[in-house]
Coordinates of all heavy atoms in Angstrom, one line a residue:
M1 N 0.8 -1.2 0.0 CA 0.0 0.0 0.0 C 0.9 1.2 0.0 O 1.9 1.3 0.7 CB -0.9 0.0 1.2 CG -1.8 1.2 1.3 SD -2.9 1.1 2.7 CE -2.4 2.5 3.6
L2 N 0.6 2.2 -0.9 CA 1.3 3.5 -0.9 C 0.7 4.5 0.0 O -0.5 4.7 0.0 CB 1.3 4.0 -2.4 CG 2.1 3.2 -3.4 CD1 1.9 3.8 -4.8 CD2 3.5 3.1 -3.1
L3 N 1.5 5.2 0.7 CA 1.0 6.2 1.6 C 0.8 7.5 0.8 O 1.5 7.8 -0.1 CB 2.0 6.5 2.7 CG 2.4 5.3 3.6 CD1 3.5 5.7 4.5 CD2 1.1 4.9 4.4
P4 N -0.3 8.2 1.1 CA -0.6 9.4 0.3 C 0.5 10.4 0.2 O 0.6 11.1 -0.8 CB -1.8 10.0 1.0 CG -2.2 9.1 2.1 CD -1.2 8.0 2.2
D5 N 1.3 10.6 1.2 CA 2.4 11.6 1.2 C 3.7 11.0 0.8 O 4.7 11.7 0.7 CB 2.5 12.3 2.5 CG 2.8 11.4 3.7 OD1 2.6 10.1 3.5 OD2 3.1 11.8 4.8
A6 N 3.8 9.7 0.5 CA 5.0 9.1 0.0 C 5.3 9.4 -1.5 O 4.3 9.6 -2.2 CB 4.9 7.6 0.2
P7 N 6.5 9.5 -1.9 CA 6.8 9.8 -3.3 C 6.2 8.6 -4.1 O 6.3 7.4 -3.8 CB 8.3 9.8 -3.4 CG 8.8 9.9 -2.0 CD 7.7 9.4 -1.1
Q8 N 5.6 9.0 -5.2 CA 5.0 8.0 -6.1 C 6.0 7.5 -7.2 O 6.8 8.3 -7.6 CB 3.7 8.5 -6.8 CG 2.7 9.0 -5.8 CD 2.1 7.9 -4.9 OE1 1.8 6.8 -5.4 NE2 2.1 8.2 -3.6
P9 N 5.9 6.3 -7.6 CA 6.9 5.8 -8.6 C 6.6 6.6 -9.9 O 5.5 6.9 -10.2 CB 6.5 4.3 -8.9 CG 5.6 4.0 -7.8 CD 5.1 5.2 -7.1
Q10 N 7.7 7.0 -10.6 CA 7.5 7.7 -11.8 C 7.7 6.8 -13.0 O 8.6 5.9 -13.0 CB 8.6 8.8 -11.9 CG 8.4 9.9 -10.9 CD 9.4 11.0 -11.0 OE1 10.4 10.9 -11.7 NE2 9.1 12.1 -10.4
T11 N 6.9 7.0 -14.0 CA 7.0 6.2 -15.3 C 8.0 6.9 -16.1 O 7.9 8.1 -16.4 CB 5.6 6.1 -16.0 OG1 4.7 5.5 -15.1 CG2 5.8 5.3 -17.3
P12 N 9.0 6.3 -16.6 CA 10.0 6.9 -17.5 C 9.3 7.5 -18.7 O 8.4 6.8 -19.3 CB 11.0 5.8 -17.8 CG 10.9 4.9 -16.7 CD 9.4 4.9 -16.3
I13 N 9.8 8.6 -19.2 CA 9.1 9.3 -20.3 C 10.1 9.4 -21.5 O 11.3 9.3 -21.3 CB 8.6 10.7 -19.9 CG1 9.7 11.6 -19.4 CG2 7.5 10.6 -18.8 CD1 9.4 13.0 -19.3
C14 N 9.6 9.8 -22.6 CA 10.3 10.0 -23.8 C 11.4 11.1 -23.7 O 11.1 12.1 -23.0 CB 9.3 10.4 -24.9 SG 10.0 10.6 -26.6
S15 N 12.5 10.9 -24.3 CA 13.6 11.8 -24.3 C 13.4 13.0 -25.2 O 14.2 14.0 -25.2 CB 14.9 11.1 -24.6 OG 15.2 10.1 -23.6
A16 N 12.4 13.0 -26.1 CA 12.2 14.1 -27.1 C 11.9 15.3 -26.3 O 11.1 15.3 -25.4 CB 11.1 13.7 -28.1
K17 N 12.4 16.4 -26.8 CA 12.2 17.7 -26.1 C 10.7 18.0 -26.0 O 10.0 18.0 -27.0 CB 12.9 18.8 -26.9 CG 12.9 20.2 -26.2 CD 13.6 21.2 -26.9 CE 13.6 22.5 -26.2 NZ 14.4 23.6 -26.9
G18 N 10.3 18.3 -24.8 CA 8.9 18.7 -24.5 C 7.9 17.5 -24.5 O 6.8 17.7 -24.1
C19 N 8.3 16.3 -24.8 CA 7.4 15.2 -24.8 C 7.3 14.6 -23.4 O 8.3 14.5 -22.7 CB 7.9 14.1 -25.7 SG 6.7 12.7 -25.9
R20 N 6.1 14.3 -23.0 CA 5.8 13.8 -21.6 C 5.2 12.4 -21.8 O 4.7 11.8 -20.8 CB 4.8 14.7 -20.9 CG 5.3 16.1 -20.7 CD 6.6 16.3 -20.0 NE 6.5 15.8 -18.6 CZ 7.6 15.6 -17.9 NH1 8.8 15.8 -18.3 NH2 7.5 15.2 -16.7
A21 N 5.2 11.8 -22.9 CA 4.6 10.4 -23.2 C 5.5 9.4 -22.5 O 6.7 9.5 -22.4 CB 4.5 10.2 -24.7
D22 N 4.8 8.3 -22.2 CA 5.5 7.1 -21.6 C 6.5 6.6 -22.6 O 6.3 6.5 -23.8 CB 4.6 6.0 -21.2 CG 3.7 6.4 -20.0 OD1 3.9 7.4 -19.4 OD2 2.7 5.6 -19.8
A23 N 7.7 6.1 -22.1 CA 8.7 5.5 -22.9 C 8.2 4.1 -23.3 O 7.7 3.4 -22.5 CB 10.0 5.4 -22.1
V24 N 8.5 3.8 -24.6 CA 8.1 2.5 -25.2 C 9.4 1.8 -25.8 O 9.5 0.6 -25.9 CB 7.0 2.7 -26.2 CG1 6.6 1.3 -26.8 CG2 5.8 3.4 -25.7
W25 N 10.4 2.7 -26.1 CA 11.6 2.2 -26.8 C 12.8 2.7 -26.1 O 12.8 3.8 -25.5 CB 11.6 2.7 -28.3 CG 10.5 2.2 -29.0 CD1 9.3 2.9 -29.3 CD2 10.3 0.9 -29.6 NE1 8.4 2.1 -30.0 CE2 9.0 0.9 -30.3 CE3 11.1 -0.2 -29.7 CZ2 8.6 -0.2 -30.9 CZ3 10.7 -1.3 -30.4 CH2 9.4 -1.3 -31.0
V26 N 13.9 1.9 -26.2 CA 15.2 2.3 -25.7 C 16.1 2.4 -27.0 O 16.2 1.5 -27.7 CB 15.8 1.3 -24.8 CG1 17.3 1.7 -24.4 CG2 15.0 1.1 -23.6
L27 N 16.7 3.6 -27.1 CA 17.7 3.8 -28.2 C 19.1 3.8 -27.6 O 19.4 4.7 -26.8 CB 17.5 5.2 -28.9 CG 16.2 5.2 -29.8 CD1 14.9 5.1 -29.1 CD2 16.3 6.5 -30.6
A28 N 19.8 2.7 -27.9 CA 21.2 2.6 -27.4 C 22.2 3.2 -28.3 O 22.1 2.9 -29.5 CB 21.5 1.1 -27.1
W29 N 23.1 4.0 -27.8 CA 24.0 4.8 -28.7 C 25.3 5.0 -28.0 O 25.4 4.9 -26.8 CB 23.4 6.1 -29.2 CG 23.1 7.1 -28.1 CD1 22.0 7.1 -27.2 CD2 23.9 8.1 -27.6 NE1 22.1 8.1 -26.3 CE2 23.2 8.8 -26.6 CE3 25.1 8.7 -28.0 CZ2 23.7 9.9 -25.9 CZ3 25.6 9.8 -27.4 CH2 24.9 10.4 -26.3
N30 N 26.3 5.4 -28.8 CA 27.5 6.0 -28.2 C 28.2 6.9 -29.2 O 27.9 6.8 -30.4 CB 28.5 4.9 -27.7 CG 29.3 4.3 -28.7 OD1 29.3 4.6 -29.9 ND2 30.2 3.3 -28.3
N31 N 28.9 7.8 -28.7 CA 29.7 8.7 -29.6 C 31.1 8.2 -29.6 O 31.8 8.2 -28.6 CB 29.7 10.2 -29.0 CG 30.5 11.2 -29.8 OD1 31.3 10.8 -30.6 ND2 30.2 12.4 -29.6
P32 N 31.6 7.7 -30.7 CA 32.9 7.0 -30.8 C 34.1 8.0 -30.5 O 35.1 7.5 -30.1 CB 33.0 6.5 -32.2 CG 32.0 7.2 -33.0 CD 30.9 7.6 -32.0
K33 N 33.8 9.3 -30.6 CA 34.9 10.2 -30.2 C 35.0 10.4 -28.7 O 36.0 10.9 -28.2 CB 34.6 11.6 -30.9 CG 34.7 11.6 -32.4 CD 34.5 12.9 -33.0 CE 34.6 12.9 -34.5 NZ 34.4 14.2 -35.1
L34 N 34.0 10.0 -28.0 CA 34.0 10.2 -26.5 C 33.9 8.9 -25.7 O 34.4 8.9 -24.6 CB 32.7 11.1 -26.1 CG 32.6 12.4 -26.7 CD1 31.3 13.1 -26.3 CD2 33.8 13.3 -26.3
H35 N 33.3 7.9 -26.3 CA 33.1 6.7 -25.5 C 33.8 5.5 -26.1 O 34.0 5.4 -27.3 CB 31.5 6.3 -25.6 CG 30.7 7.4 -25.1 ND1 29.7 8.0 -25.9 CD2 30.6 8.1 -23.9 CE1 29.1 9.0 -25.3 NE2 29.6 9.1 -24.1
T36 N 34.1 4.5 -25.2 CA 34.7 3.3 -25.7 C 33.7 2.5 -26.5 O 32.5 2.7 -26.3 CB 35.2 2.4 -24.5 OG1 34.1 2.1 -23.7 CG2 36.3 3.1 -23.7
P37 N 34.1 1.6 -27.4 CA 33.1 0.9 -28.3 C 32.1 0.1 -27.5 O 30.9 0.0 -28.0 CB 34.0 0.0 -29.1 CG 35.3 0.6 -29.1 CD 35.5 1.3 -27.8
D38 N 32.4 -0.4 -26.3 CA 31.4 -1.1 -25.6 C 30.4 -0.3 -24.7 O 29.4 -0.8 -24.2 CB 32.1 -2.2 -24.7 CG 33.0 -1.5 -23.7 OD1 33.6 -0.5 -24.0 OD2 33.2 -2.1 -22.6
R39 N 30.7 1.0 -24.6 CA 29.9 1.9 -23.8 C 28.5 2.2 -24.5 O 28.5 2.4 -25.7 CB 30.6 3.2 -23.6 CG 29.8 4.3 -22.8 CD 29.8 4.1 -21.3 NE 29.0 5.0 -20.6 CZ 29.3 6.2 -20.1 NH1 30.5 6.6 -20.3 NH2 28.4 6.9 -19.5
R40 N 27.4 2.1 -23.8 CA 26.1 2.4 -24.3 C 25.4 3.5 -23.5 O 25.2 3.3 -22.3 CB 25.2 1.2 -24.4 CG 25.7 0.1 -25.4 CD 25.6 0.7 -26.9 NE 26.0 -0.3 -27.8 CZ 27.3 -0.4 -28.3 NH1 28.2 0.4 -27.9 NH2 27.6 -1.3 -29.2
K41 N 25.1 4.6 -24.1 CA 24.2 5.6 -23.5 C 22.8 5.2 -24.0 O 22.6 4.5 -25.0 CB 24.6 7.0 -24.0 CG 26.1 7.4 -23.7 CD 26.3 7.6 -22.3 CE 25.7 8.9 -21.8 NZ 25.9 9.2 -20.4
T42 N 21.8 5.7 -23.3 CA 20.4 5.4 -23.8 C 19.6 6.7 -23.8 O 19.7 7.6 -22.9 CB 19.8 4.4 -22.8 OG1 19.8 4.8 -21.5 CG2 20.5 3.0 -23.0
W43 N 18.7 6.7 -24.7 CA 17.6 7.6 -24.8 C 16.3 6.8 -24.8 O 16.3 5.7 -25.3 CB 17.6 8.5 -26.1 CG 18.6 9.6 -26.1 CD1 19.4 10.0 -25.1 CD2 18.8 10.5 -27.2 NE1 20.1 11.1 -25.5 CE2 19.8 11.4 -26.8 CE3 18.3 10.5 -28.5 CZ2 20.3 12.4 -27.6 CZ3 18.8 11.5 -29.3 CH2 19.8 12.4 -28.9
L44 N 15.3 7.3 -24.2 CA 14.0 6.6 -24.2 C 13.1 7.3 -25.3 O 13.2 8.5 -25.5 CB 13.3 6.7 -22.9 CG 14.1 6.0 -21.8 CD1 13.4 6.2 -20.4 CD2 14.3 4.5 -22.0
A45 N 12.2 6.6 -25.9 CA 11.3 7.2 -26.9 C 9.9 6.6 -26.8 O 9.7 5.4 -26.5 CB 11.9 6.9 -28.3
C46 N 8.9 7.4 -27.1 CA 7.6 7.0 -27.3 C 7.4 6.5 -28.8 O 8.4 6.7 -29.6 CB 6.6 8.1 -27.0 SG 6.7 9.6 -28.1
D47 N 6.3 6.0 -29.1 CA 6.1 5.5 -30.5 C 6.2 6.7 -31.5 O 6.8 6.5 -32.5 CB 4.7 4.8 -30.6 CG 4.7 3.4 -30.2 OD1 5.8 2.7 -30.2 OD2 3.7 2.9 -29.7
E48 N 5.7 7.8 -31.1 CA 5.7 9.0 -32.0 C 7.1 9.5 -32.3 O 7.3 10.0 -33.4 CB 4.8 10.1 -31.4 CG 4.8 11.4 -32.3 CD 3.9 12.5 -31.6 OE1 3.2 12.2 -30.6 OE2 4.0 13.6 -32.1
H49 N 8.0 9.5 -31.4 CA 9.3 10.1 -31.5 C 10.4 9.0 -31.8 O 11.6 9.5 -32.0 CB 9.7 10.9 -30.3 CG 8.8 12.1 -30.2 ND1 7.9 12.3 -29.2 CD2 8.8 13.2 -31.0 CE1 7.3 13.4 -29.4 NE2 7.8 14.0 -30.4
R50 N 10.1 7.8 -31.8 CA 11.2 6.8 -32.1 C 11.9 7.0 -33.4 O 13.2 7.0 -33.4 CB 10.6 5.4 -32.1 CG 11.6 4.3 -32.2 CD 11.0 2.9 -32.3 NE 10.3 2.8 -33.6 CZ 10.6 1.8 -34.5 NH1 11.5 0.9 -34.2 NH2 10.0 1.8 -35.6
E51 N 11.2 7.2 -34.4 CA 11.9 7.4 -35.7 C 12.7 8.6 -35.8 O 13.9 8.6 -36.3 CB 10.8 7.4 -36.9 CG 11.4 7.4 -38.2 CD 12.3 6.1 -38.6 OE1 12.0 5.0 -38.0 OE2 13.3 6.2 -39.3
H52 N 12.2 9.7 -35.3 CA 12.9 11.0 -35.3 C 14.2 10.9 -34.5 O 15.3 11.3 -35.0 CB 12.0 12.1 -34.7 CG 12.8 13.4 -34.5 ND1 13.1 14.2 -35.6 CD2 13.2 14.0 -33.4 CE1 13.8 15.3 -35.1 NE2 13.8 15.1 -33.7
L53 N 14.1 10.4 -33.3 CA 15.3 10.3 -32.4 C 16.3 9.3 -33.0 O 17.5 9.5 -33.0 CB 14.9 9.8 -31.0 CG 14.1 10.9 -30.2 CD1 13.7 10.3 -28.9 CD2 15.0 12.2 -30.0
S54 N 15.8 8.2 -33.6 CA 16.7 7.2 -34.3 C 17.4 7.8 -35.5 O 18.6 7.6 -35.6 CB 15.9 6.0 -34.8 OG 15.3 5.3 -33.7
Q55 N 16.7 8.6 -36.2 CA 17.4 9.3 -37.4 C 18.4 10.3 -36.9 O 19.5 10.4 -37.5 CB 16.3 10.0 -38.2 CG 15.5 9.1 -39.1 CD 14.5 9.8 -39.9 OE1 14.3 11.0 -39.8 NE2 13.8 9.0 -40.7
F56 N 18.1 11.1 -35.9 CA 19.0 12.0 -35.3 C 20.4 11.3 -34.9 O 21.4 11.8 -35.3 CB 18.4 12.7 -34.1 CG 19.3 13.7 -33.4 CD1 19.3 15.1 -33.8 CD2 20.2 13.4 -32.4 CE1 20.1 16.0 -33.2 CE2 21.0 14.3 -31.8 CZ 21.0 15.6 -32.2
L57 N 20.3 10.2 -34.2 CA 21.5 9.5 -33.8 C 22.1 8.8 -35.0 O 23.3 8.7 -35.1 CB 21.1 8.5 -32.7 CG 20.7 9.1 -31.3 CD1 20.1 8.0 -30.4 CD2 21.8 9.8 -30.7
G58 N 21.3 8.2 -35.8 CA 21.8 7.4 -37.0 C 22.6 8.3 -38.0 O 23.7 7.8 -38.4
V59 N 22.2 9.5 -38.3 CA 22.9 10.4 -39.2 C 24.3 10.6 -38.7 O 25.2 10.8 -39.5 CB 22.1 11.7 -39.4 CG1 22.9 12.8 -40.0 CG2 20.8 11.4 -40.2
R60 N 24.4 10.7 -37.4 CA 25.7 11.0 -36.8 C 26.6 9.7 -36.6 O 27.7 9.8 -36.1 CB 25.5 11.7 -35.4 CG 25.0 13.1 -35.6 CD 24.2 13.6 -34.4 NE 23.8 15.0 -34.7 CZ 22.7 15.3 -35.4 NH1 21.9 14.3 -35.9 NH2 22.3 16.5 -35.6
G61 N 26.0 8.5 -36.9 CA 26.7 7.3 -36.7 C 26.8 6.8 -35.2 O 27.6 6.0 -34.9
F62 N 25.8 7.4 -34.4 CA 25.8 7.0 -33.0 C 24.9 5.9 -32.6 O 25.2 5.2 -31.6 CB 25.4 8.2 -32.2 CG 26.3 9.4 -32.2 CD1 25.9 10.6 -31.6 CD2 27.5 9.4 -32.8 CE1 26.7 11.7 -31.6 CE2 28.3 10.6 -32.9 CZ 27.9 11.7 -32.2
L63 N 23.8 5.7 -33.4 CA 22.8 4.7 -33.0 C 23.4 3.3 -33.1 O 23.9 2.9 -34.2 CB 21.6 4.8 -33.9 CG 20.4 3.9 -33.5 CD1 19.9 4.3 -32.1 CD2 19.3 4.1 -34.5
K64 N 23.2 2.5 -32.1 CA 23.7 1.1 -32.1 C 22.6 0.1 -32.2 O 22.7 -0.9 -32.9 CB 24.6 0.8 -30.8 CG 25.8 1.7 -30.7 CD 26.7 1.6 -31.9 CE 27.8 2.5 -31.8 NZ 28.6 2.6 -33.1
E65 N 21.5 0.3 -31.4 CA 20.3 -0.5 -31.5 C 19.1 0.1 -30.9 O 19.2 1.0 -30.1 CB 20.6 -1.9 -30.9 CG 20.9 -1.9 -29.4 CD 21.3 -3.2 -28.9 OE1 20.8 -4.3 -29.4 OE2 22.1 -3.3 -27.9
V66 N 17.9 -0.4 -31.3 CA 16.6 0.1 -30.8 C 15.9 -1.1 -30.2 O 15.8 -2.1 -30.9 CB 15.8 0.8 -31.8 CG1 14.4 1.2 -31.3 CG2 16.5 2.0 -32.5
L67 N 15.6 -1.1 -28.9 CA 15.0 -2.2 -28.2 C 13.7 -1.8 -27.5 O 13.5 -0.6 -27.2 CB 15.9 -2.7 -27.1 CG 17.3 -3.1 -27.6 CD1 18.2 -3.3 -26.4 CD2 17.2 -4.4 -28.4
P68 N 12.7 -2.7 -27.4 CA 11.6 -2.3 -26.6 C 12.0 -2.0 -25.1 O 12.8 -2.6 -24.6 CB 10.7 -3.6 -26.6 CG 11.3 -4.4 -27.7 CD 12.7 -4.0 -27.9
F69 N 11.3 -1.0 -24.6 CA 11.6 -0.6 -23.2 C 10.8 -1.6 -22.3 O 9.6 -1.8 -22.4 CB 11.0 0.8 -22.9 CG 11.2 1.3 -21.5 CD1 12.5 1.6 -21.0 CD2 10.1 1.4 -20.7 CE1 12.6 2.0 -19.7 CE2 10.3 1.8 -19.4 CZ 11.5 2.1 -18.9
T70 N 11.5 -2.2 -21.4 CA 10.9 -3.2 -20.5 C 10.9 -2.8 -19.0 O 10.4 -3.5 -18.2 CB 11.7 -4.6 -20.6 OG1 13.1 -4.3 -20.3 CG2 11.6 -5.1 -22.0
G71 N 11.5 -1.6 -18.7 CA 11.4 -1.2 -17.3 C 12.7 -0.3 -17.0 O 13.6 -0.2 -17.9
P72 N 12.7 0.2 -15.9 CA 13.9 1.0 -15.5 C 15.2 0.2 -15.6 O 15.2 -1.0 -15.3 CB 13.6 1.4 -14.0 CG 12.1 1.3 -13.9 CD 11.7 0.2 -14.8
A73 N 16.3 0.9 -15.9 CA 17.6 0.3 -16.0 C 18.0 -0.1 -14.6 O 17.7 0.4 -13.6 CB 18.6 1.3 -16.5
A74 N 18.9 -1.2 -14.6 CA 19.5 -1.6 -13.4 C 20.5 -0.6 -12.9 O 21.0 0.1 -13.7 CB 20.1 -3.0 -13.6
P75 N 20.8 -0.6 -11.6 CA 21.8 0.3 -11.1 C 23.1 0.2 -11.9 O 23.5 -1.0 -12.2 CB 22.0 -0.1 -9.6 CG 20.7 -0.7 -9.3 CD 20.2 -1.4 -10.5
G76 N 23.8 1.3 -12.2 CA 25.0 1.2 -13.0 C 24.9 1.4 -14.4 O 25.8 1.6 -15.2
E77 N 23.6 1.3 -15.0 CA 23.4 1.5 -16.4 C 23.0 2.9 -16.6 O 22.5 3.6 -15.7 CB 22.3 0.6 -16.9 CG 22.6 -0.9 -16.9 CD 21.5 -1.8 -17.4 OE1 20.6 -1.2 -18.0 OE2 21.5 -3.0 -17.2
D78 N 23.3 3.5 -17.8 CA 22.9 4.8 -18.1 C 22.3 5.0 -19.4 O 21.8 4.5 -20.1 CB 24.0 5.9 -17.9 CG 25.2 5.6 -18.7 OD1 25.1 4.9 -19.8 OD2 26.3 6.0 -18.2

């Protein structure tokens, strides 16, 4: 049972500027000029912004994979 004054769990939202929709996709990427090849940064995306964010990262050669969002990342992931 959640107490009324206790912090409520937050649903992760899309990384697109100004979007408040629930995250449905994880876009895994890295910038090879800054990160080691095995490092993965992540953006979250809703259905509406998945393609736009993927193209933004893809044009720069940063996008590594797009996966369904299954829940919050484990500690130590970013």
Side-chain angles (χ1 to χ4, degrees):
M1 178 175 122
L2 295 175
L3 300 174
D5 57 348
Q8 302 300 310
Q10 293 183 345
T11 302
I13 60 168
C14 180
S15 297
K17 185 175 181 178
C19 184
R20 305 300 297 166
D22 290 350
V24 181
W25 300 98
V26 175
L27 286 65
W29 62 277
N30 83 358
N31 179 340
K33 292 182 181 179
L34 302 176
H35 307 121
T36 60
D38 60 327
R39 175 82 188 268
R40 292 293 181 267
K41 301 291 284 179
T42 56
W43 282 356
L44 300 176
C46 64
D47 280 330
E48 181 180 347
H49 292 111
R50 182 184 74 120
E51 187 63 31
H52 172 74
L53 293 173
S54 294
Q55 286 179 355
F56 180 89
L57 293 168
V59 165
R60 291 157 178 78
F62 295 174
L63 186 63
K64 301 303 178 191
E65 61 186 332
V66 178
L67 304 166
F69 178 71
T70 56
E77 295 181 14
D78 52 30

